[in-house]
Amino acid sequence: MADFIQHLINGLAAGTIYALVALGYTMVYGVLKLINFAHGDVMMVGVYIAYATAKQLGRGAQSSLLGVMLIFLVAMGGCALIGFLIERFAYRPLREKPRLTALITAIGISFALSYGFQLDIGFLPGAAPRAFPEIIRPTEWLVIGDRDVVLWNWQVISVLIAVGLMVSLQYLVFKTRFGRAMRAVSYDHRTAALMGIPVDRIIALTFMLGSALAAGAGILYAIKDTAVQPLMGLYVGLKAFVAAVIGGIGHVPGAVVGGLLLGLVEEFVVGYTASTWRDAVAFGFLIIVLLVRPEGLFGRITAEKV
Amino acid sequence: MSGPAVLGERTPRDPLLEVKDLQVAYGAITALRGISLSLGQGEVVALIGANGAGKTSTLRAISGMLRPKAGKITLRGQDITGKKAHTLLPLGMAHAPEGRGIFLNLSVEENLQLGAYLRKDTDGIQSDLEQSFGFFPVLKDRLQQLAGTLSGGEQQMLAISRALMSRPSLLLLDEPSLGLAPQIIEKIFGILRDINQKGVSILLVEQNAHLALNLAHYGYVLETGEIAMTGPGKTLLASEEVKKAYLGE
């Protein structure tokens, strides 16, 4: 029983991170019908930005409340800028081209970032993994029995930050004028323009938002995993993409549920079988969901009235 | 090019929309071969013609949904040729597009709010909402429903109401009668007349020539990308060519 609870805690903590990254995939897919394969790598860049910011702050300041907030802000802002640039210069010129063109471009950007960051020139960090600074000093917040169940402070903080970001996003998408415009663009951008909605700007903002969330998720992942390396985006990105598809790509709450489910499934597989099974089960889970519900758990096959 | 046959006299009005030698092409396929038309302040102008004659392309070029290959479009004297669609709404032109363009994933209320996307005057928006509910009371009952659950007629009512939410001086309407039952069509066209009497000019694209020409002050007959004939609505309605080709008489 204690094992079970421990896995549940770990699974939820990991799942919220997947969920945050999955939200970026799903939002961009929503407005552009594009799988932004560079999304995970944008997250990786965000982690390096956070890493550099923490180093600049130094040992004391980086783990103060103000320091941590600054690290999040700088990384999220930096990623928003990168998301903006990628959309503006790589995807927008291809907007009216066949969708495959943009998809290949996305893969190209993904490789450019993940392999470019392995270079050891100038500001680029090189291939070697680095230890992510302890911006949140791990302490045990709750210990049950003889260390049967341990709840770490970073797990709680990570879940709180992730949930906070998700709730804000949910509010933004469903309760604000911007969210309304975003959903209209997602449904039909040509008609959205007829409403006076500046479609290009909405798409750019969506990219920035998704990228900023990825940066936030990346930092949480780095705190959990304690390591930073240029290929981390490919791996986490792929998993989060799976989470988004499981939830029903384009569906915001679906991405959250997909992320949590994937985190839990992986954790239980690792806990009760062997960690080598983790990826096989994650992707097997995807295959099963797609066989049973091709549109994902929450996705809808829309029937249109004529 | 010989130019269109002109039947009857047109009542002069202050010009609102002016289209000159408009050409539209989709790749190698030419949709419009240089058409000219005009619409005066307070006027209802109908554009009739068979499927594929270029009616929808004309509206799309005017509202900025597609870029014309050549020609000039002016609204109140201002050149709007090739401007992006979202920049034209502030100039007082709203377009209810082909197929109604309802956001089926949004509620009826959200659709209406999007029609007023650029407006900040809460009171004015509210009074325009009330006006729409006056025209189409069913929308008020369905406000919180997803627009995808509306019937075709209700969606058309929503499309018209949403376009009016920007308080346009010119309304572009693409086939408002398409796929609707006769009594609903009659109701909608009755309300279009009311809307026009409140001062909104209307450019109406219709396959149903009878309906359109009855409502319109002036009409244009479009044939394979060219204007074949123009004249006041009632005159066109009475002309032998139109009767034969479009009214099945």
Side-chain angles (χ1 to χ4, degrees):
Chain A
M1 187 60 199
D3 269 8
F4 180 82
I5 294 173
Q6 184 65 62
H7 291 316
L8 197 66
I9 292 170
N10 297 349
L12 284 177
T16 45
I17 297 173
Y18 285 148
L20 271 184
V21 184
L23 281 170
Y25 275 108
T26 235
M27 284 196 313
V28 165
Y29 183 83
V31 293
L32 273 189
K33 304 290 173 279
L34 164 74
I35 307 290
N36 179 19
F37 273 117
H39 187 60
D41 304 288
V42 170
M43 181 204 86
M44 175 274 295
V45 176
V47 177
Y48 273 104
I49 296 175
Y51 175 90
T53 314
K55 287 282 174 222
Q56 280 296 319
L57 286 173
R59 274 198 173 281
Q62 69 190 9
S63 54
S64 69
L65 179 63
L66 213 63
V68 173
M69 279 167 60
L70 191 68
I71 290 169
F72 269 90
L73 272 180
V74 172
M76 290 173 81
C79 274
L81 180 67
I82 291 163
F84 172 82
L85 293 174
I86 292 175
E87 194 277 327
R88 180 67 189 81
F89 295 107
Y91 298 149
R92 191 177 299 180
L94 303 174
R95 188 92 48 85
E96 303 299 326
K97 299 279 186 293
R99 209 152 293 154
L100 192 61
T101 320
L103 192 73
I104 305 279
T105 306
I107 294 173
I109 293 169
S110 166
F111 283 177
L113 288 175
S114 54
Y115 291 96
F117 264 61
Q118 294 188 38
L119 296 173
D120 217 343
I121 336 169
F123 67 93
L124 296 168
R130 301 182 181 200
F132 193 74
E134 275 185 1
I135 60 173
I136 297 174
R137 283 210 183 90
T139 35
E140 295 164 358
W141 267 17
L142 184 71
V143 181
I144 299 175
D146 183 22
R147 293 183 59 82
D148 291 332
V149 177
V150 181
L151 180 64
W152 292 89
N153 64 337
W154 60 263
Q155 290 179 316
V156 179
I157 294 169
S158 154
V159 169
L160 284 181
I161 293 176
V163 169
L165 288 172
M166 283 181 232
V167 170
S168 324
L169 182 71
Q170 183 76 5
Y171 179 82
L172 185 76
V173 171
F174 290 98
K175 298 282 179 217
T176 65
R177 181 169 171 267
F178 169 74
R180 212 151 50 224
M182 198 174 131
R183 282 179 292 142
V185 170
S186 151
Y187 188 77
D188 175 357
H189 68 91
R190 286 190 179 80
T191 308
L194 293 180
M195 308 291 111
I197 296 171
V199 174
D200 285 343
R201 195 181 314 158
I202 299 287
I203 290 176
L205 282 169
T206 306
F207 257 89
M208 293 169 73
L209 204 60
S211 304
L213 287 181
I219 299 173
L220 298 178
Y221 188 86
I223 291 172
K224 175 171 87 86
D225 219 45
T226 66
V228 195
Q229 45 104 357
L231 289 181
M232 69 186 290
L234 288 177
Y235 179 76
V236 182
L238 199 55
K239 286 298 180 59
F241 171 59
V242 169
V245 174
I246 287 174
I249 191 131
H251 191 273
V252 169
V256 175
V257 175
L260 290 177
L261 272 178
L262 190 66
L264 287 169
V265 167
E266 284 194 357
E267 174 64 25
F268 280 110
V269 168
V270 173
Y272 290 114
T273 63
S275 60
T276 40
W277 280 97
R278 172 162 55 189
D279 295 347
V281 171
F283 291 107
F285 183 45
L286 171 72
I287 291 170
I288 292 167
V289 169
L290 289 184
L291 281 176
V292 181
R293 273 184 72 86
E295 66 277 27
L297 293 178
F298 293 88
R300 228 177 306 163
I301 299 175
T302 40
E304 286 182 30
K305 250 180 207 149
V306 190
Chain B
M1 211 163 64
S2 55
V6 182
L7 311 181
E9 289 285 312
R10 187 175 196 171
T11 322
R13 294 168 187 260
D14 291 335
L16 182 59
L17 178 74
E18 205 88 47
V19 174
K20 275 218 159 56
D21 300 322
L22 181 66
Q23 292 182 33
V24 166
Y26 301 97
I29 301 154
T30 305
L32 294 178
R33 304 165 191 282
I35 66 159
S36 299
L37 57 87
S38 66
L39 180 146
Q41 207 92 46
E43 201 171 29
V44 178
V45 168
L47 198 56
I48 63 167
N51 241 338
K55 305 187 298 292
T56 296
S57 298
T58 307
L59 283 199
R60 287 192 173 159
I62 293 172
S63 73
M65 284 180 92
L66 55 82
R67 239 172 200 290
K69 200 175 120 192
K72 191 174 178 190
I73 304 164
T74 53
L75 184 65
R76 264 192 227 90
Q78 186 181 346
D79 188 354
I80 58 165
T81 321
K83 285 212 171 190
K84 289 198 169 177
H86 71 92
T87 61
L88 294 177
L89 208 71
L91 303 179
M93 182 164 73
H95 180 181
E98 185 187 38
R100 304 174 196 128
I102 297 299
F103 301 110
L104 302 177
N105 58 334
L106 270 59
S107 72
V108 171
E109 186 174 28
E110 287 175 319
N111 269 279
L112 290 168
Q113 285 168 334
L114 281 171
Y117 182 77
L118 295 175
R119 290 173 65 182
K120 306 259 190 276
D121 54 324
T122 324
D123 297 343
I125 293 174
Q126 191 57 37
S127 83
D128 284 355
L129 261 182
E130 296 299 334
Q131 175 187 267
S132 289
F133 297 154
F135 290 145
F136 307 113
V138 64
L139 293 180
K140 190 168 190 175
D141 304 331
R142 306 220 185 279
L143 216 46
Q144 302 307 325
Q145 263 175 250
L146 278 187
T149 64
L150 298 185
S151 72
E154 290 163 351
Q155 285 186 15
Q156 188 60 58
M157 296 173 193
L158 177 57
I160 293 170
S161 302
R162 188 182 63 183
L164 289 176
M165 289 304 291
S166 65
R167 217 173 251 190
S169 44
L170 172 60
L171 180 60
L172 311 184
L173 279 177
D174 199 337
E175 299 259 10
S177 78
L178 193 71
L180 303 185
Q183 65 269 36
I184 300 201
I185 296 179
E186 204 173 303
K187 183 179 157 107
I188 287 178
F189 272 71
I191 282 165
L192 290 180
R193 196 180 297 273
D194 291 351
I195 291 168
N196 174 244
Q197 266 154 19
K198 293 195 175 197
V200 180
S201 311
I202 299 176
L203 179 56
L204 173 68
V205 153
E206 259 295 344
Q207 260 197 78
N208 188 330
H210 189 80
L211 270 175
L213 294 176
N214 247 320
L215 177 72
H217 300 107
Y218 202 76
Y220 291 85
V221 181
L222 204 54
E223 264 170 22
T224 55
E226 277 167 315
I227 306 264
M229 206 187 305
T230 85
K234 301 282 185 302
T235 316
L236 283 179
L237 207 49
S239 87
E240 289 303 319
E241 290 98 323
V242 172
K243 271 186 182 169
K244 248 214 289 249
Y246 301 101
L247 301 172
E249 285 173 26

